[in-house]
Amino acid sequence: MIAQEENLKSIETGYSLREHSDGDWEPEWITERFTCFLVCDKSSCGEVIAVSGTSSHSYHAHYDEHIDETVETHGHYYVPISMHPAPHIIGVSKKLNKVCKNDLEASFALLWADPAACANRLRTFIEHLLDQFQIPRKDISKKGEEYTLNLVQRIDRLEKLKPGHDKTIKALKRVGDFGTHQGKAKFDTLLKCYELLEAALADIVDGKKAHLDKLIAELMGTDDDF
């Protein structure tokens, strides 16, 4: 994605402008809102993303004894709060069903606007991913009574079908639970979640491990295979 600088616009709020008259005023007090466009640099795509958020300034001055002068540094920072359409944080497999794709793509948008809601949507994605692999939500007890399986129980059943990923999925569930009940989720934590999820989905959905195992088996075959 390439930022279209000619479309980048920041406007300082009225109350921020009034604060300039304060004798203690510093650039860090400035509060601005910005909008801009990002354009995909791939000629086959050309998607345009509308971005908006807040921007701020920084100022620092220090004496540099090597040049015997005061050196000033200025910074202008942009924090996006909305991106539409939201860029994909990880790849979305074509093998995911429509419900799972919708969850994942919705989480990409929420990452910028509401991290806690993003964590919650990733938890919902896990539920629907289990549905895609026909992991039941209910079962029958030995007494013949129907009962509801909790998410951990369902994850354990997926582990029997697609082994090696229960710790990853339970870690994602934990972040989703925290976001749901505490209303909090750190941006960096969510990026870690996406990284783990991408690796897990490559195997669970796209069968990467099975493919690699097949290649290994072929290489470990008879000499006639070489």
Side-chain angles (χ1 to χ4, degrees):
M1 288 291 177
I2 299 176
Q4 299 293 295
E5 293 187 16
E6 65 272 19
N7 293 318
L8 175 61
K9 185 174 184 179
S10 292
I11 299 178
E12 187 172 359
T13 64
Y15 59 81
S16 179
L17 287 168
R18 289 191 292 272
E19 290 179 337
H20 286 247
S21 61
D22 191 306
D24 296 324
W25 182 89
E26 295 181 358
E28 287 84 351
W29 293 18
I30 294 175
T31 301
E32 295 177 331
R33 312 300 181 208
F34 81 91
T35 61
C36 75
F37 292 98
L38 302 178
V39 179
C40 181
D41 54 355
K42 292 184 179 180
S43 58
S44 60
C45 177
E47 178 65 273
V48 177
I49 297 176
V51 184
S52 64
T54 63
S55 61
S56 60
H57 294 256
S58 67
Y59 170 79
H60 178 69
H62 71 277
Y63 174 73
D64 190 329
E65 60 182 13
H66 297 292
I67 60 175
D68 191 28
E69 289 182 6
T70 297
V71 178
E72 298 180 344
T73 57
H74 300 263
H76 197 174
Y77 304 95
Y78 299 88
V79 179
I81 295 176
S82 173
M83 290 195 184
H84 180 75
H88 288 189
I89 308 302
I90 60 174
V92 179
S93 173
K94 294 181 179 180
K95 294 183 179 180
L96 285 172
N97 64 28
K98 185 176 181 180
V99 175
C100 289
K101 287 180 180 178
N102 287 342
D103 285 335
L104 205 52
E105 291 178 346
S107 78
F108 298 152
L110 290 169
L111 174 65
W112 310 99
D114 190 339
C118 174
N120 174 266
R121 198 57 183 257
L122 287 176
R123 189 188 188 285
T124 301
F125 169 80
I126 293 171
E127 291 273 13
H128 290 151
L129 180 66
L130 294 170
D131 291 340
Q132 178 170 332
F133 283 93
Q134 300 181 347
I135 305 299
R137 290 178 179 254
K138 295 184 177 182
D139 204 348
I140 303 298
S141 69
K142 293 181 180 179
K143 295 182 180 180
E145 299 174 344
E146 185 179 75
Y147 67 96
T148 300
L149 295 169
N150 61 41
L151 184 52
V152 171
Q153 291 171 321
R154 298 186 73 209
I155 293 172
D156 288 340
R157 294 198 179 194
L158 178 67
E159 178 65 12
K160 295 178 181 179
L161 181 67
K162 299 284 185 177
H165 305 288
D166 61 324
K167 290 183 179 179
T168 291
I169 298 177
K170 287 177 181 177
L172 296 174
K173 171 192 174 298
R174 182 173 182 270
V175 174
D177 288 343
F178 191 84
T180 300
H181 300 299
Q182 301 298 322
K184 298 178 181 179
K186 293 180 179 179
F187 188 85
D188 289 346
T189 297
L190 292 171
L191 292 184
K192 292 175 184 176
C193 287
Y194 281 120
E195 186 175 353
L196 287 172
L197 184 59
E198 184 174 40
L201 292 179
D203 182 31
I204 296 173
V205 177
D206 295 316
K208 184 175 182 179
K209 184 176 183 300
H211 175 68
L212 294 177
D213 287 344
K214 180 181 178 182
L215 294 180
I216 292 171
E218 291 174 356
L219 294 175
M220 293 299 289
T222 65
D223 291 344
D224 294 336
D225 294 329
F226 295 99

